[in-house]
Amino acid sequence: MTTISAIISAIGNNSSVYPLLVRDCGIEVPTKVFLTYQQNKDDEEVAKLATRERFLDEYATSAVWLGGIPLLDKISNYIIKKKGFNPLINPKMFNEEKFQGLQYNIEKFKAKAPDAIKDLEKLTDINTQKYYKKLLAGKFLASTIIPIAFMGFILPKMIFASSARRIEKLRQKRAAQNKTMLEPVMRPNFKAPKKGIWEDFSLTSNKQVAFTGLSLAKLATVSTQDKMMITDGGYTVGRVVTARKKKEALDVGFRLSGMMFLNFVAPKWIEKALNKISGLDLDPIMLADKNFTSKVKSGGIVLPADDKPETLLKFVDANPDSMFVKLANQFKKVTMQDNNIRDPRAYVDFEALGKFRNSIANFIEKAPKNKNFEKYLLKSKILRSVNILLNVGISSFLLAYALPKATFAFRKLVTGSDLEPGLAPDVQNAEKATPKKV
């Protein structure tokens, strides 16, 4: 049960990459590839090319999207460490808050966590802080611009060029079947990138990149999933810009905009609605933890008195061996060191920690303390797992079936045809090519 709970927990965490991995590679992509063939099957050659393009595009994009960004993060962290800094120090710590901050934590943990404090003391100088922020901003740019460049600009051009060669072969095949003399076969009418696209996007451009209203600290603290969302936005822009035809640009823009919404926004809305209906939002791993559930039944779990920042931090620092702190550390609401001291380098999100505390308190309050507890626990496990799987199912259906169907309807409205707008005209011209006498 623990293994099953861990799997359900992973795919139900809408702040991680796992739900995206399940929906994208396991459900969405195979379905979209199949639907692409079905939509274009009236013309066999268009169907073959469109299906091939979708297969290559979707899986190459998924590989970069789900693997490239985390890999680039690791490489960037290695470089930052080589520069003498700990990349896990959150730059939000430079803004002194009431209960945490660089100087605040240095004073509070100087005797308790001397090794961690050494990392913080390196950043007490303002100029050093600025340099560290620039390193983190560079990490952000590397893990977004490189994937955007590949997925949005390089990959589509590679796929388009491959399709162009296949259409050329089709033209030549049709021409060879005719025994009359032919004029030289013209190359397919694929539009080249507009002049200036690569210059404007070049990583070596002398132009200064401006982040209006976006500080280096904010860039440095963007989560992996948020980087994926930003990358997806850049990827969408790239695909629209590199589209072979105007109608293809409209088709791609509609599809990818819908995909962004259904990948990053809709699942959280669905999760919130399902949790509200069920009145339960604990992680399945906690519900499968016998130590946790037995303490709930016996009333042995002690929680912070309320969800105020001062109350939460005082409780965590004073009760590092408590069930609450161990769970908070396990689910990354706080970061504890091996010596059971809270890591002074880690920023505490008081809102997230407070919600975590309230979720446990809500479960404890509702759980009966008599023989009916086991029934309540089983019901909670089933309900929570069903909610997560239902969320994945609804999201996957919307992404894999509803969105492609909506895109096909939009395509029909805009182009008047069911066929891929970037391929159909050139393929059909190649199929119907009538050789001219010299």
Side-chain angles (χ1 to χ4, degrees):
M1 181 64 185
T2 303
T3 303
I4 295 174
S5 298
I7 294 171
I8 293 175
S9 170
I11 65 174
N13 183 1
N14 284 307
S15 296
S16 75
V17 301
Y18 296 109
L20 300 175
L21 184 64
V22 171
R23 290 196 303 265
D24 196 63
C25 295
I27 302 172
E28 180 191 351
V29 173
T31 305
K32 287 197 297 187
V33 170
F34 173 74
L35 289 177
T36 296
Y37 179 83
Q38 289 294 107
Q39 186 67 17
N40 293 276
K41 66 181 180 181
D42 288 345
D43 187 307
E44 190 63 25
E45 292 297 337
V46 174
K48 287 179 181 179
L49 279 176
T51 304
R52 179 178 176 273
E53 282 194 351
R54 181 55 52 84
F55 179 87
L56 293 174
D57 185 14
E58 295 290 346
Y59 277 109
T61 298
S62 295
V64 175
W65 195 45
L66 297 171
I69 293 175
L71 176 61
L72 288 167
D73 275 349
K74 288 183 179 180
I75 294 172
S76 297
N77 285 344
Y78 175 79
I79 293 172
I80 292 171
K81 286 179 182 178
K82 284 294 184 181
K83 296 290 183 180
F85 300 104
N86 188 323
L88 300 181
I89 297 176
N90 194 313
K92 289 181 181 178
M93 299 292 288
F94 303 149
N95 302 319
E96 296 291 334
E97 297 180 5
K98 192 172 181 180
F99 302 111
Q100 66 180 330
L102 191 68
Q103 294 297 338
Y104 182 95
N105 282 13
I106 287 175
E107 292 301 319
K108 182 173 182 177
F109 291 95
K110 203 163 192 176
K112 295 180 180 179
D115 291 337
I117 293 305
K118 288 179 183 177
D119 288 336
L120 293 180
E121 287 176 335
K122 292 178 182 178
L123 296 168
T124 52
D125 178 70
I126 296 298
N127 291 326
T128 307
Q129 286 183 21
K130 289 180 179 179
Y131 179 63
Y132 177 68
K133 287 179 181 178
K134 287 181 179 179
L135 288 174
L136 292 180
K139 170 184 172 180
F140 166 82
L141 293 174
S143 58
T144 52
I145 287 181
I146 293 174
I148 287 172
F150 181 79
M151 294 189 300
F153 294 85
I154 298 172
L155 179 61
K157 286 301 176 184
M158 292 171 63
I159 293 174
F160 295 163
S162 176
S163 292
R165 288 192 295 270
R166 288 172 180 266
I167 293 173
E168 178 71 11
K169 289 180 180 179
L170 177 62
R171 287 178 183 271
Q172 292 174 354
K173 180 181 177 181
R174 292 290 187 267
Q177 291 173 351
N178 196 294
K179 296 182 180 180
T180 59
M181 296 295 293
L182 301 177
E183 289 185 338
V185 179
M186 299 298 292
R187 294 193 63 81
N189 183 29
F190 277 78
K191 291 183 179 179
K194 295 177 182 178
K195 185 178 181 181
I197 286 176
W198 297 106
E199 289 83 352
D200 289 342
F201 198 77
S202 172
L203 299 180
T204 59
S205 172
N206 291 325
K207 295 180 181 179
Q208 294 294 318
V209 180
F211 295 96
T212 306
L214 191 61
S215 69
L216 290 177
K218 288 181 180 179
L219 286 179
T221 55
V222 173
S223 69
T224 297
Q225 197 201 40
D226 287 338
K227 287 177 185 175
M228 289 179 174
M229 183 164 60
I230 293 168
T231 302
D232 223 26
Y235 154 64
T236 299
V237 172
R239 289 306 176 90
V240 172
V241 170
T242 57
R244 290 164 286 196
K245 294 174 174 61
K246 183 178 179 180
K247 290 180 179 179
E248 183 182 39
L250 294 172
D251 187 83
V252 168
F254 180 88
R255 174 170 59 85
L256 294 184
S257 297
M259 188 179 73
M260 284 187 64
F261 173 77
L262 294 176
N263 260 325
F264 298 104
V265 180
K268 293 182 179 181
W269 287 3
I270 296 170
E271 178 186 34
K272 188 175 181 180
L274 291 173
N275 288 347
K276 189 173 183 179
I277 292 170
S278 66
L280 181 68
D281 59 358
L282 284 187
D283 193 284
I285 290 178
M286 292 174 65
L287 296 173
D289 186 338
K290 291 182 179 180
N291 189 25
F292 169 72
T293 55
S294 64
K295 284 184 178 293
V296 171
K297 184 177 180 180
S298 64
I301 292 185
V302 181
L303 297 175
D306 54 52
D307 59 3
K308 295 177 182 178
E310 183 178 15
T311 306
L312 293 169
L313 284 190
K314 280 185 176 179
F315 184 92
V316 169
D317 293 337
N319 303 277
D321 291 319
S322 68
M323 173 66 74
F324 173 75
V325 174
K326 288 180 179 178
L327 289 171
N329 181 55
Q330 179 181 354
F331 290 96
K332 300 181 180 179
K333 308 304 178 184
V334 294
T335 304
M336 305 297 291
Q337 298 182 108
D338 292 338
N339 59 1
N340 254 5
I341 301 295
R342 178 166 59 87
D343 192 336
R345 297 164 296 195
Y347 182 83
V348 179
D349 184 335
F350 295 125
E351 183 179 357
L353 182 58
K355 285 182 179 179
F356 185 72
R357 177 258 174 210
N358 293 339
S359 293
I360 297 175
N362 180 55
F363 180 76
I364 293 173
E365 183 180 347
K366 290 183 177 180
K369 304 301 185 290
N370 51 35
K371 60 183 180 181
N372 293 324
F373 177 79
E374 298 302 329
K375 291 182 180 179
Y376 177 77
L377 178 61
L378 179 60
K379 179 182 176 182
S380 297
K381 287 178 183 179
I382 294 172
L383 187 60
R384 187 72 180 107
S385 298
V386 167
N387 279 356
I388 290 173
L389 295 176
L390 189 59
N391 190 351
V392 172
I394 293 171
S395 302
S396 298
F397 171 79
L398 293 174
L399 274 164
Y401 186 82
L403 179 59
K405 287 295 184 181
T407 303
F408 298 152
F410 177 79
R411 176 189 302 169
K412 182 76 171 180
L413 179 67
V414 171
T415 69
S417 171
D418 292 323
L419 303 179
E420 293 286 332
L423 284 170
D426 295 297
V427 173
Q428 290 173 336
N429 286 338
E431 291 176 326
K432 298 174 183 178
T434 303
K436 299 178 182 180
K437 293 182 180 180
V438 177

